[in-house]
Amino acid sequence: MAGRALGRPGGNAPYWFLAPLFAFTGLFLVLPLGFSVYLAFTRWNPLGEPRWVGTRQFEYLLTRDDTFWATLSNTFVFAGALVVIGVPLALGLAFVFSRARGKAAWRAIYYLPQITSFVAIAYIWQFVLDDRYGLANRLLGLLGFRGFDWLTDPTMAMVSIVMVMVWYDVGKNMVVFSAAIENVSKDLYEAAELDGASAWIQFSRITVPIIRPAVVFVTVTSFISGMGFFALILAMTGGGPRGATEVTALYLYEMAFQDLRMGRASAGALILFAIIAVLTVLQFRLLRERKA
Amino acid sequence: MSRLATTALALVLPVAALADGHAAPLTMAMHYNQDQAAPLLECLADYEAETGQAVEYQQVSYGEYLQTVLTGRIGGTQPDIYHLYSIWGAQMADNGVLAEPPAALADFIRAEYGTTADAATIDGTLYGVPTEVSVYMLVSNMALLRDAGYDAPPATWDELREIAEAITTRNDQGRVETAGFAFAESSSGAGVVHPFYALLASRGMDVYADGFAEANLDSPEAVAAARDLATLVDDGITEKSVDAYDAFPAGGAGMMVMANWYKSAIEDGLGSLDDVVVSPIPAGDDWKTLQYAFFMGVDSDSPNGDAAWEAVRWLNSADSADDSGVSCMGRMLSSIGALTANASDNAAMGEADAFTQPFLDALADGRTVSQPNVMQAAEIEGMMADAIDSVIAGDADAEAAMGDLDRAVEDVLFEFY
């Protein structure tokens, strides 16, 4: 008894303290996830009973549903652009503002979109990017240009969505980078300056290698959130024009809640989950190898 | 003991209330807001005073109606009385959600509502009382037509193209400023799909064949209808980015194919309807158009089914008529500028205004075809919108796009028929 008490002070108390967390996780994570996995092998609209169909939903999505593949392609473009454009931009801004006056104010300004509703953001940008009356094209018109079909041309619509998403996300990533940059010893920069290192050399040879964990974190989380994101797209373009901005998560949302195909949508979600998981592991390994 | 007492009290109280002569309140879920539903709410108060049966009104937004109903059903909190867009009906009926009305009420519906009873009919079974009816017609801003040198709206598609081209102006950037014709932009795709239905019906072709087992979307008629819409953009007569919902009330569009329910928005935007003319779909003498409807139905699991049907009957029949002779539902629909297909109500209301009368005439003259109550209708119409949009944008040839669409739609139909 004495040995047991020594091995686990407080008896079962830790488990009692953890019990609410376990219950919450079970109720809101494990249970829905398990149900979703089950649904992926059924045909179910919530009006009736689920009917077991084995792997047919996966077969349909992977072999017959061209739209599913098109949305996956859109998803990779969206998530990829978010990482390729958004992460370096946030890093650059964080570095610049770390040396600027009023850096706290700049960071707050860039963080503002994060505390704004997606719907409000979508409406504002719709007004700015409207083909005929939008501010962007009006300004381009003053300069003698025709302007772009920002939200009605398939290519430009994706460009617009990425642009707005980068604008939305850059502040959050910048804050993470800023925190990491603040922890880099000032001595290193002073020594580099004494050796005549330019700001770019200091950034690329000192800052980036030291804050690599933050870069890995932001890259991976940006990619994951980009792969599963759709709220802004739903509010801004609804996936249009002609499916050009229809990402997989949005397609699955519509499949589940508009077309009432819960089984197929669950199967699609599992496929998307598997893709994200594999790519995330690959990203971690690649970035770790580079570190080594 | 105290918990037991509370439980017992909770069980006993409703029974006591019923024993006291108060029937359990019914719940009715509709998408109209409180202002729109005001006449109906008054009627529900009258109904309770008259019969002792309370009916609670639940407003559910149109965009979330189906999801709310589904969630409610899973949780056992579904309403007793639904107010459904007809194309949702097939899935609800297929899953046993909807109850069939009593025989006497079914007879009443068939006698009063003519072809609009089809909107509430799925696989030959009637599931409710049609309420709000929407019909698509050509709506023209005559001021713009006259400025372009035309005194009357077009009667054929070629005339529409000619007039639209004459009206269209572009700004310095080459973008359409005033559109001769504009498509309505809606998330469901109805802005192109519903005019497509009208053009297809005018060519004498049904969307589906063989009891919904096959689609006619690759037929020459369907390809031609899609091409009619597409060439308006392809030939530079209009741009898809001009949204009729915004442009027409703002005086920036000459013509659109639109349903009657947009009347108040047009009136608000233009200031009056004096110079707005509603005319047949410009498809020649054999023109047809699309009608769709909402209908009132009762949940098959409702413990108060009989009372719910009685309330539905009362609201839509002469029993709820006031001095004007119009039923309660008819008065509410009239107050928001919506149409009813209830023959008695239409007779009692007499001649409508110049804007509304052509829509009613189309219904009365048998020019309308009902939106098909097919399984997965919303999904299929989304597919149709994507295909027609791609033709309009010039991304795909009409024949190839409609052929692909036909195959995709028949894939969906194969699951159910």
Side-chain angles (χ1 to χ4, degrees), chain B residues 55-385:
Chain B
V55 183
E56 290 173 1
Y57 184 85
Q58 293 178 348
Q59 189 202 329
V60 181
S61 76
Y62 169 75
E64 290 163 12
Y65 194 97
L66 206 51
Q67 290 94 318
T68 306
V69 164
L70 296 177
T71 313
R73 233 175 174 259
I74 291 169
T77 57
Q78 72 274 25
D80 298 293
I81 301 170
Y82 295 116
H83 189 244
L84 301 168
Y85 180 18
S86 58
I87 65 169
W88 300 333
Q91 269 162 298
M92 296 186 78
D94 189 60
N95 287 280
V97 176
L98 298 177
E100 288 184 44
L105 181 56
D107 291 343
F108 163 80
I109 296 164
R110 292 196 179 95
E112 282 288 337
Y113 291 88
T115 59
T116 306
D118 292 348
T121 304
I122 293 122
D123 289 338
T125 305
L126 186 66
Y127 283 100
V129 182
T131 52
E132 181 180 345
V133 185
S134 294
V135 177
Y136 278 79
M137 299 286 275
L138 184 73
V139 183
S140 303
N141 180 334
M142 291 309 296
L144 293 178
L145 266 70
R146 277 196 305 276
D147 287 348
Y150 295 89
D151 288 332
T156 66
W157 202 255
D158 285 340
E159 287 177 21
L160 179 138
R161 286 171 53 87
E162 180 188 319
I163 297 173
E165 194 164 18
I167 293 171
T168 299
T169 60
R170 291 175 183 274
N171 64 15
D172 295 342
Q173 291 178 282
R175 296 182 183 282
V176 168
E177 197 162 60
T178 303
F181 180 88
F183 294 99
E185 194 65 41
S186 63
S187 57
S188 66
V192 292
V193 174
H194 290 179
F196 169 79
Y197 276 143
L199 293 178
L200 187 61
S202 297
R203 285 185 156 83
M205 179 57 70
D206 293 327
V207 183
Y208 302 102
D210 198 15
F212 294 126
E214 286 184 20
N216 291 324
L217 295 165
D218 60 349
S219 63
E221 291 84 354
V223 172
R227 203 169 269 143
D228 276 350
L229 297 173
T231 50
L232 291 173
V233 175
D234 207 27
D235 295 343
I237 295 170
T238 188
E239 282 177 1
K240 192 67 175 37
S241 61
V242 181
D243 183 359
Y245 285 137
D246 297 331
F248 195 94
M255 295 173 283
M256 62 178 177
V257 175
M258 182 53 73
N260 48 284
W261 52 259
Y262 211 54
K263 175 185 176 183
S264 58
I266 298 170
E267 190 168 16
D268 289 346
L270 293 176
S272 86
L273 296 170
D274 294 347
D275 225 7
V276 175
V277 167
V278 176
S279 58
I281 298 296
D285 293 338
D286 296 327
W287 70 275
K288 292 272 186 182
T289 192
L290 174 77
Q291 67 156 315
Y292 68 83
F294 284 78
F295 69 91
M296 273 190 185
V298 170
D299 190 284
S300 58
D301 287 346
S302 168
N304 312 303
D306 291 342
W309 279 122
E310 177 53 24
V312 169
R313 187 201 64 76
W314 187 86
L315 288 169
N316 290 279
S317 69
D319 285 1
S320 62
D322 62 4
D323 293 342
S324 69
V326 180
S327 74
C328 187
M329 200 60 204
R331 295 202 298 280
M332 197 216 92
L333 293 173
S334 174
S335 72
I336 58 171
L339 302 184
T340 173
N342 183 310
S344 299
D345 282 348
N346 283 328
M349 284 190 274
E351 183 86 359
D353 60 47
F355 183 94
T356 305
Q357 192 57 43
F359 291 101
L360 289 169
D361 290 344
L363 277 172
D365 297 344
R367 292 282 187 172
T368 60
V369 292
S370 285
Q371 191 174 15
N373 280 344
V374 63
M375 294 288 284
Q376 298 295 125
E379 180 183 10
I380 289 172
E381 292 196 356
M383 294 159 73
M384 290 169 70

Side-chain angles (χ1 to χ4, degrees), chain B residues 20-43:
Chain B
D20 198 30
H22 295 288
L26 299 168
T27 49
M28 180 166 67
M30 299 181 98
H31 68 275
Y32 303 109
N33 63 35
Q34 295 289 316
D35 287 342
Q36 292 170 322
L40 186 65
L41 297 177
E42 282 179 28
C43 287

Side-chain angles (χ1 to χ4, degrees), chain A residues 64 132 146 149 242 261, chain B residues 173 175-176 379 395 411:
Chain A
R64 295 175 65 187
R132 294 199 299 160
R146 183 178 189 271
D149 298 332
R242 306 186 293 289
R261 293 183 180 279
Chain B
Q173 291 178 282
R175 296 182 183 282
V176 168
E379 180 183 10
D395 291 348
D411 254 9

